[in-house]
Amino acid sequence: MPLHDKNTVRGFFKEAVYASSDLTVSAPKYQFPKAETDPRHAYAIVSDEMLLDGNARQNLATFCQTWVEPEVHQIMDLTIDKNMIDKDEYPQTAEVERRCVHMLADLWNSPDAANTIGCSTTGSSEAAMLGGLALKWQWRKRRQKAGQDTSKPNLICGAVQICWHKFARYFDVELRQIPVTADKLTLSADDVIAACDENTIGVVPTLGITFTCLFENVKAISEALDKLNKEKGWDIGIHVDAASGAFIAPFIQPDLVWDFRLPRVKSINASGHKYGLSPLGVGWVIWRDAEDLPEELVFQVDYLGGNMPTFALNFSRPGGQIITQYYNFLRLGREGYKKVMEACLGHAQYIADEIRKMEIFELFYDGKGGLPGASWRIREGVNPGFTLYDLADRLRMRGWQVPAYPLPANLNKIVIQRVLVRHGFSRDMASLLIADLKRSVDYFKNHPVSSPSTQKESGGYHH
Ligand SMILES: *Cc1c(COP(=O)(O)O)cnc(C)c1O
């Protein structure tokens, strides 16, 4: 056997990766590769390509977790083979999911007597679908029982995340979205009541609006609905989209009543992979009571020789994110989550203060009372020689992703720029960001963008 035969040589010693025959040609892109590749070479190709993505830690646009403890990496590795759907094969994973459901019901103040039920999902979008579906089925059952028409369901909401538009389209529900205005950035109870009718399946307030970081007033809406339901003999319930807020309000504003303390709140969704601090791929939906989840939507699966109710859109799904969620609950507890959220809010408020000092900007959100973020616009009447889109591009040169976008609907003439602060961001990083932002503004002072690009209507996609 000649010693220089490629495969034999590989068997004896390792080629220099970047001088190998695999890496001195371009990798297949669209046709299924014919032959095998050395794993080190394939790894180099794939991991190098990932360098072209933005740096997740500097992505201040996303609500999703981009830093986790080393133990979370270890648990993810340990659990990479666990399928969430196989409750019988992985009963302990199923048990851990159940514990998380009960811990969350406790965190969201489920009453002692309630027979809470809930499940993990891949994120809040799927959790929202399930919450919306339950509302739709309960409404339809009530209507059918009374011999009434069930062909025109509607759902009331404010400036919701895109998942609610999807829910409405996929499941054939009219979305009655109450537009935001300058003096009503959050849902007003009066507007909600005016939009309700006998075909309303539910109302969805948001705890942590993606565009503005604000919390909607769930309590006021709940009280108004109690009154309306009593007058009309309806039973319109609330699902709270608390994707981010459900992991912030309980620790930072424990007296804010937005959760199961309000009997009208039938279900709540949250993203475990946002301020729940788990890696991407976990959301939660919890019902106040088993009765609020129509039994027709529940499937029974084998579990330790018995049955376990499941409610999900997916079949096979990874279990690691759920197990790391449990790790986080054990690891941090209420005190740890409070510290993490306080640190995030502190950094957000620091950024807001620094922005406030720069006269060309006007704060839109100062990091207080809602999500750990800050947003600003260019002060009215000021022409600094650039737009917020230009500034976003300039910051991108240093790796920072700080999106600029127009507010929704009636306010789409107002463009703001926003940062979100997550666990994994330090005061030092905040000060480095501010230094880069100031440098960018100075740069534009000397090199104004010749024709201030007309404010692009490039609507943002909000994570
Ligand atoms: C992020 C978000 C969603 C969607 O959640 P995913 O976990 O990304 O699926 C829904 N609603 C709100 C308010 C959000 O912030």
Side-chain angles (χ1 to χ4, degrees):
M1 201 184 302
L3 257 183
H4 56 263
D5 174 275
K6 189 180 166 199
N7 295 318
T8 318
V9 168
R10 274 191 191 169
F12 281 100
F13 67 90
K14 306 221 188 256
E15 283 177 283
V17 173
Y18 289 93
S20 68
S21 54
D22 291 325
L23 274 83
T24 45
V25 296
S26 118
K29 302 250 165 17
Y30 303 109
Q31 271 173 351
F32 204 90
K34 182 157 169 286
E36 294 173 82
T37 304
D38 182 302
R40 288 182 314 143
H41 299 174
Y43 183 83
I45 293 170
V46 172
S47 56
D48 288 352
E49 187 152 6
M50 291 302 103
L51 294 173
L52 299 184
D53 273 342
N55 178 0
R57 296 279 297 285
Q58 285 182 288
N59 176 0
L60 304 182
T62 184
F63 292 87
C64 294
Q65 201 48 44
T66 49
W67 179 85
V68 293
E69 293 187 320
E71 287 77 7
V72 169
H73 286 272
Q74 285 174 30
I75 295 172
M76 288 301 283
D77 199 24
L78 196 71
T79 55
I80 197 166
D81 50 3
K82 289 185 192 291
N83 190 342
M84 208 53 239
I85 199 70
D86 280 340
K87 313 276 183 207
D88 203 30
E89 262 142 86
Y90 307 113
Q92 226 47 40
T93 297
E95 169 63 19
V96 163
E97 182 193 29
R98 269 160 45 111
R99 287 181 203 163
C100 289
V101 165
H102 287 283
M103 285 184 179
L104 288 174
D106 178 42
L107 185 65
W108 301 335
N109 295 298
S110 172
D112 284 342
N115 181 13
T116 306
I117 190 166
C119 62
S120 66
T121 58
T122 19
S124 275
S125 309
E126 187 194 344
M129 304 290 144
L130 298 176
L133 269 176
L135 287 176
K136 182 177 172 184
W137 280 60
Q138 295 300 61
W139 164 84
R140 193 166 58 192
K141 273 205 291 197
R142 288 195 300 270
R143 300 278 296 173
Q144 278 166 345
K145 223 161 140 193
Q148 290 160 329
D149 175 52
T150 59
S151 63
K152 293 186 201 68
N154 68 66
L155 183 75
I156 317 281
C157 65
V160 280
Q161 207 262 2
I162 187 143
C163 68
W164 291 100
H165 295 265
K166 281 193 185 174
F167 165 74
R169 193 165 321 159
Y170 294 174
F171 297 103
D172 231 353
V173 172
E174 178 202 347
L175 198 66
R176 292 196 178 160
Q177 198 173 18
I178 297 169
V180 285
T181 57
D183 53 346
K184 280 186 202 161
L185 289 174
T186 56
L187 269 179
S188 95
D190 290 344
D191 291 346
V192 167
I193 298 307
C196 287
D197 61 26
E198 58 180 5
N199 289 315
T200 300
I201 65 170
V203 177
V204 177
T206 303
L207 207 70
I209 299 174
T210 53
F211 307 95
T212 55
C213 299
L214 302 175
F215 290 171
E216 292 192 307
N217 191 340
V218 185
K219 186 160 177 269
I221 294 167
S222 172
E223 284 165 357
L225 276 175
D226 280 343
K227 198 161 152 261
L228 178 77
N229 284 330
K230 203 162 157 212
E231 274 166 28
K232 303 278 189 179
W234 297 338
D235 189 15
I236 301 173
I238 292 177
H239 171 97
V240 184
D241 180 352
S244 298
F247 285 108
I248 295 167
F251 308 115
I252 297 293
Q253 303 177 57
D255 297 331
L256 183 74
V257 178
W258 64 275
D259 53 14
F260 292 126
R261 279 168 284 183
L262 300 167
R264 195 132 298 282
V265 172
K266 304 293 182 190
S267 47
I268 295 172
N269 73 268
S271 296
H273 57 213
K274 291 185 178 173
Y275 291 91
L277 310 179
S278 286
L280 274 171
V282 61
W284 299 96
V285 55
I286 313 280
W287 282 269
R288 173 183 195 78
D289 200 281
E291 282 177 13
D292 295 312
L293 178 59
E295 57 194 21
E296 300 87 336
L297 292 177
V298 176
F299 286 80
Q300 299 292 330
V301 298
D302 288 341
Y303 172 66
L304 290 179
N307 278 319
M308 185 179 213
T310 68
F311 183 38
L313 294 175
N314 285 296
F315 194 70
S316 297
R317 214 151 54 72
Q321 291 85 343
I322 289 126
I323 306 194
T324 50
Q325 183 77 83
Y326 181 59
Y327 163 83
N328 280 328
F329 292 169
L330 288 185
R331 154 86 177 95
L332 292 168
R334 286 178 194 258
E335 285 171 10
Y337 270 94
K338 181 164 185 267
K339 267 160 76 178
V340 169
M341 301 312 152
E342 278 172 352
C344 292
L345 283 159
H347 302 328
Q349 288 159 14
Y350 163 81
I351 292 172
D353 284 343
E354 292 300 309
I355 296 282
R356 187 189 280 119
K357 292 182 204 154
M358 301 177 66
E359 278 165 8
I360 51 175
F361 299 122
E362 192 175 335
L363 278 183
F364 185 75
Y365 173 61
D366 61 2
K368 293 185 184 142
L371 301 179
S375 61
W376 56 90
R377 55 189 291 199
I378 289 175
R379 192 175 287 284
E380 255 179 302
V382 169
N383 180 3
F386 64 90
T387 67
L388 291 177
Y389 298 107
D390 299 322
L391 183 57
D393 283 348
R394 188 84 204 154
L395 284 170
R396 188 72 192 255
M397 288 179 70
R398 292 277 287 171
W400 301 111
Q401 296 186 55
V402 188
Y405 55 88
L407 291 175
N410 297 349
L411 296 180
N412 68 5
K413 292 278 174 294
I414 303 178
V415 173
I416 64 171
Q417 189 166 29
R418 183 196 69 188
V419 295
L420 289 169
V421 176
R422 303 179 302 273
H423 192 31
F425 193 78
S426 62
R427 183 60 57 98
D428 201 55
M429 287 167 83
S431 67
L432 293 172
L433 168 73
I434 291 295
D436 279 336
L437 196 136
K438 287 182 175 161
R439 252 194 297 274
S440 303
V441 169
D442 285 343
Y443 172 86
F444 286 123
K445 240 184 237 158
N446 298 324
H447 308 276
V449 180
S450 43
S451 55
S453 44
T454 47
Q455 313 253 292
K456 292 176 225 165
E457 297 278 325
S458 68
Y461 165 67
H462 302 280
H463 305 270

